[in-house]
Amino acid sequence: MAEFFSFLGDPNRLRILSLLAEKEFCVSDLAAALNMSESAVSHQLRNLRVMRLVSYRKQSRHVFYSLHDSHVLHLYQSVAEHLDEKDE
């Protein structure tokens, strides 16, 4: 678990997950939205796939990425909600 949460400590990976929490994207669209190179985005997506955080589907010559499953979405949403809470 420590390795998993440490892995999520990378700001670029979190930015990618943030976009994928909304909808699926291809690498070029992610790169444009994040102002990153396609190579850098592909590298991060490869790491995210290894950790089973994202999945992909091929449609002709394009590859679309999305969050792996609802667990990843719920984890992302729960952390975001926790961080948005005001101290009581």
Side-chain angles (χ1 to χ4, degrees):
M1 228 187 232
E3 179 185 359
F4 179 83
F5 282 107
S6 175
F7 180 80
L8 290 177
D10 182 89
N12 288 324
R13 290 183 196 131
L14 286 176
R15 292 170 58 210
I16 291 170
L17 291 176
S18 175
L19 288 174
L20 294 177
E22 300 297 320
K23 65 177 188 173
E24 69 177 11
F25 282 89
C26 64
V27 174
S28 59
D29 290 342
L30 279 170
L34 298 169
N35 197 27
M36 294 173 62
S37 71
E38 288 187 24
S39 174
V41 170
S42 291
H43 175 75
Q44 294 301 339
L45 287 167
R46 185 172 29 260
N47 291 330
L48 290 165
R49 276 195 333 261
V50 168
M51 294 299 286
R52 295 185 315 146
L53 292 168
V54 300
S55 299
Y56 69 93
R57 69 176 180 85
K58 292 183 179 183
Q59 183 176 333
S60 78
R61 294 175 45 184
H62 296 284
V63 179
F64 292 90
Y65 289 86
S66 61
L67 295 183
H68 183 70
D69 58 24
S70 63
H71 296 111
V72 178
L73 178 60
H74 294 305
L75 176 65
Y76 178 84
Q77 289 172 332
S78 293
V79 171
E81 182 180 313
H82 175 73
L83 294 174
D84 286 343
E85 289 177 352
K86 303 271 190 239
D87 287 332
E88 295 181 23

